[in-house]
């Protein structure tokens, strides 16, 4: 998809975006953002972000494209099928990550963290991750961050399960109906699918304190031991697990001025974008530059430099 310059972006100018002038403010015909599957926070946050961007880019058709999440979004970016995409940090080791490579991927910023959640029926005999051996477990959709992280974790621990690929909403329905033994999701909290599962059957979340430490030691960088607060799902917490940062990514070839507008929108309208998602409310300028091994897009870096706090 080719990005074109057509006219002055009056909305961006009115907001005082650093670096935009009457001659260089970008306007594009279409801006496509890859989000996530039904029942995941990526899709809801992505839709809210697309709406906010549409307000800031009145001459542009902003599209929130549903996807299977992180791994697929990285692939779509590499193949130039989308302009922007959401991804957890851990699948990005092998991606084309260069702020200088026009064919590569760079970061608009760090948004919030996803938590690994393993839900089982409250009546299940499964008490630990090892108890899942041989059982039917939803790993999330193909090419999702959930699938990537679940495979990495269980391979590390030598646990073999009957892994199934399905969206989180479908997995919640099957868990409630007794069709699967566990739902595994790496996503923000509260996760809509787990909230929906609670409505169908009493559930538990597995405690993973030791597994979190082992994963962080084996793969330093993206994984941090964390706790799901007791207030997240009523009486299901607190639960020990691990968190992974989520990034908004962009094609490196995307216009610097356009990415500057995107960056400003993310970090000045974060309250609107994160509405209804307590974890996503942590989107802020101070942590936005903490993108790990992924370099900031030049347009994003310019905005952060002009908005140091």
């Amino acid at each position: 998809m080719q990005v074109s310059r057509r006219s002055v972006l009056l909305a961006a100018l009115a907001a005082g975006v650093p670096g935009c002038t009457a001659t260089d403010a970008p306007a594009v015909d279409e801006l496509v953002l890859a989000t996530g599957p039904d029942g995941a926070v990526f899709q809801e946050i992505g839709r809210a972000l697309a709406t906010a961007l549409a307000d800031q880019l009145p001459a542009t058709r902003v599209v929130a494209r549903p996807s299977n999440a992180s791994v697929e979004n990285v692939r779509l970016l590499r193949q130039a099928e989308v302009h922007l995409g959401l991804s957890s940090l851990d699948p990005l080791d092998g991606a084309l990550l260069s702020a200088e490579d026009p064919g590569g991927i760079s970061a608009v910023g760090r948004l919030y963290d996803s938590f690994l959640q393993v839900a089982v029926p409250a009546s299940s005999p499964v008490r630990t991750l090892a108890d899942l051996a041989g059982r039917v477990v939803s790993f999330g959709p193909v090419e999702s961050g959930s699938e990537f992280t679940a495979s990495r974790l269980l391979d590390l621990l030598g646990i073999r399960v009957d892994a199934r690929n399905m969206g989180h909403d479908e997995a919640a329905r099957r868990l409630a109906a007794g069709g699967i033994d566990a739902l595994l999701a790496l996503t923000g909290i509260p996760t809509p699918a787990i909230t929906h599962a609670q409505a169908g059957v009493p559930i538990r979340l597995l405690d993973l304190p030791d597994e979190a430490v082992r994963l962080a030691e084996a793969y330093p960088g993206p994984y941090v031991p964390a706790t799901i607060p007791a207030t997240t799902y009523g009486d299901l917490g607190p639960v020990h697990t691990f968190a992974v940062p989520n990034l908004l990514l962009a094609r490196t070839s995307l216009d610097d001025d356009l990415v500057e507008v995107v960056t400003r929108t993310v970090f000045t309208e974060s309250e609107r974008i994160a509405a209804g998602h307590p974890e996503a409310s942590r989107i802020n300028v101070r942590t936005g530059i903490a993108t790990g091994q992924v370099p900031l897009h030049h347009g994003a870096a310019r905005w952060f430099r002009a908005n140091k706090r």
Side-chain angles (χ1 to χ4, degrees):
M1 290 178 289
Q2 297 299 315
V3 177
S4 63
R5 293 177 181 266
R6 263 189 341 193
S7 62
V8 175
L9 247 187
L10 296 179
L13 292 173
V17 180
C20 286
T21 70
T23 59
D24 66 7
V28 298
D29 296 320
E30 184 176 72
L31 187 67
V32 182
L33 164 63
T35 62
D38 292 342
V41 176
F42 266 11
Q43 186 174 108
E44 298 191 357
I45 293 294
R47 286 174 177 167
L49 174 56
T51 299
L53 287 172
D55 290 344
Q56 297 300 317
L57 301 167
T60 299
R61 178 174 179 261
V62 181
V63 178
R65 173 173 170 172
S67 72
N68 287 341
S70 297
V71 176
E72 181 180 9
N73 291 351
V74 171
R75 177 175 60 78
L76 292 173
L77 283 162
R78 294 180 66 174
Q79 295 173 347
E81 293 186 33
V82 300
H83 301 101
L84 303 168
L86 296 165
S87 178
S88 54
L89 182 60
D90 51 338
L92 287 161
D93 290 340
L96 298 176
L97 303 173
S98 171
E100 307 301 330
D101 177 6
I105 300 170
S106 47
V108 174
R110 175 176 175 168
L111 303 183
Y112 63 97
D113 292 349
S114 282
F115 291 72
L116 184 73
Q117 301 160 79
V118 184
V120 299
S123 59
S124 171
V126 173
R127 295 289 169 179
T128 69
L129 207 60
D131 291 339
L132 290 176
R135 296 181 181 271
V136 180
V137 181
S138 170
F139 272 26
V142 174
E143 291 193 300
S144 66
S146 295
E147 180 192 45
F148 180 91
T149 306
S151 298
R152 173 176 276 187
L153 175 62
L154 295 184
D155 284 350
L156 174 68
L157 300 175
I159 300 171
R160 300 290 177 260
V161 302
D162 183 359
R164 305 291 177 86
N165 289 111
M166 62 189 75
H168 296 319
D169 271 353
E170 180 185 354
R173 289 191 295 270
R174 292 198 184 187
L175 186 71
I180 61 174
D181 295 299
L183 179 167
L184 189 150
L186 180 74
T187 183
I189 55 174
T191 299
I194 291 179
T195 301
H196 297 160
Q198 284 181 289
V201 64
I203 64 171
R204 286 185 286 107
L205 296 179
L206 298 187
D207 225 27
L208 308 172
D210 297 334
E211 294 88 343
V213 171
R214 288 189 61 182
L215 189 64
E217 290 176 346
Y219 298 95
Y223 305 110
V224 179
T227 300
I228 298 173
T231 56
T232 304
Y233 298 108
D235 59 355
L236 293 189
V239 177
H240 299 94
T241 183
F242 57 85
V244 183
N246 294 312
L247 309 182
L248 177 61
L249 304 172
R251 293 274 302 165
T252 302
S253 57
L254 203 58
D255 184 278
D256 289 358
D257 293 331
L258 177 60
V259 173
E260 190 168 359
V261 173
V262 173
T263 310
R264 177 184 60 77
T265 303
V266 169
F267 291 99
T268 62
E269 299 204 31
S270 58
E271 184 174 345
R272 169 188 178 186
I273 293 166
H277 297 285
E279 189 59 28
S281 67
R282 297 186 181 184
I283 299 172
N284 65 79
V285 174
R286 292 185 300 279
T287 59
I289 61 172
T291 56
Q293 75 272 23
V294 187
L296 283 172
H297 190 286
H298 291 313
R302 188 169 67 192
W303 187 87
F304 282 114
R305 284 195 300 270
N307 291 273
K308 291 180 180 179
R309 295 184 180 180

